[in-house]
Amino acid sequence: MRDQRHQEAEETINVRLWTYAEAVKARPYLRSIVRSLREHWLESQRMRLQMRRLDARPGRPDRQALIVRTEAAREAERAADHFNEALRELEAIDVYCLDPARGLALIPFRLGEDLAWFVFDLFVPQGLDAWRFHADPLETRRPLREELDPGLVDQVFSSRRLMS
């Protein structure tokens, strides 16, 4: 029984909780990393698709086809390495990639006693336009109030009475 409790304690993950003001300040950096994640993920997928198409060709591959496939595999691996490097950089600041193709990342914060997430969207001009509770389905997006300044928004999000 004691060993099981010890294992559970070791599996606890400490996540840095962001404020809205910190998330707003980090937008240019987040935009750069999330864009890099997206580009490397798409490149990796493109090369893997090229490899599948080459493998699906009927008959035995000739020398040129083998060279092209080897190069595609090398490029796919290189893109995957770059993707993983960017992912580690993002996770080092406790921001998590939700969908690399859509350019979505989640930034943790506390709303009252609950864990919540700011949604960073690469394709939204302001970058941050929504938030969600941890327990919400991944598709859930609650709008941020853009007319508020970052200091006031931090006060609003720390208040329990404004929860949706």
Side-chain angles (χ1 to χ4, degrees), residues 134-147:
H134 183 71
D136 287 340
L138 289 176
E139 308 81 40
T140 302
R141 288 193 178 192
R142 301 167 193 265
L144 291 173
R145 299 177 190 248
E146 286 301 317
E147 67 274 4

Side-chain angles (χ1 to χ4, degrees), residues 122-133:
L122 183 62
F123 297 105
V124 171
Q126 63 271 23
L128 296 169
D129 73 331
W131 66 279
R132 58 179 292 276
F133 284 110

Side-chain angles (χ1 to χ4, degrees), residues 49-62:
L49 176 61
Q50 183 179 359
M51 288 169 36
R52 283 194 303 272
R53 286 178 176 162
L54 288 169
D55 291 343
R57 284 184 176 170
R60 188 172 173 173
D62 61 1

Side-chain angles (χ1 to χ4, degrees), residues 68-149:
V68 169
R69 193 202 184 284
T70 301
E71 186 59 32
R74 199 173 301 137
E75 288 297 319
E77 186 65 32
R78 188 174 306 130
D81 289 345
H82 290 302
F83 172 83
N84 289 326
E85 182 180 323
L87 187 62
R88 283 190 299 274
E89 186 174 348
L90 193 66
E91 290 174 348
I93 59 172
D94 288 319
V95 175
Y96 302 92
C97 182
L98 177 61
D99 185 340
R102 292 174 47 202
L104 297 175
L106 298 175
I107 305 167
F109 72 99
R110 181 188 324 260
L111 181 56
E113 294 299 316
D114 297 320
L115 175 62
W117 303 87
F118 292 118
V119 179
F120 178 85
D121 188 337
L122 183 62
F123 297 105
V124 171
Q126 63 271 23
L128 296 169
D129 73 331
W131 66 279
R132 58 179 292 276
F133 284 110
H134 183 71
D136 287 340
L138 289 176
E139 308 81 40
T140 302
R141 288 193 178 192
R142 301 167 193 265
L144 291 173
R145 299 177 190 248
E146 286 301 317
E147 67 274 4
L148 301 177
D149 67 27

Side-chain angles (χ1 to χ4, degrees), residues 34-50:
V34 172
R35 182 179 294 119
S36 180
L37 272 172
R38 182 175 190 277
E39 289 170 0
H40 295 308
W41 187 84
L42 290 173
E43 180 66 13
S44 175
Q45 295 304 309
R46 187 175 72 80
M47 288 295 115
R48 291 180 198 288
L49 176 61
Q50 183 179 359

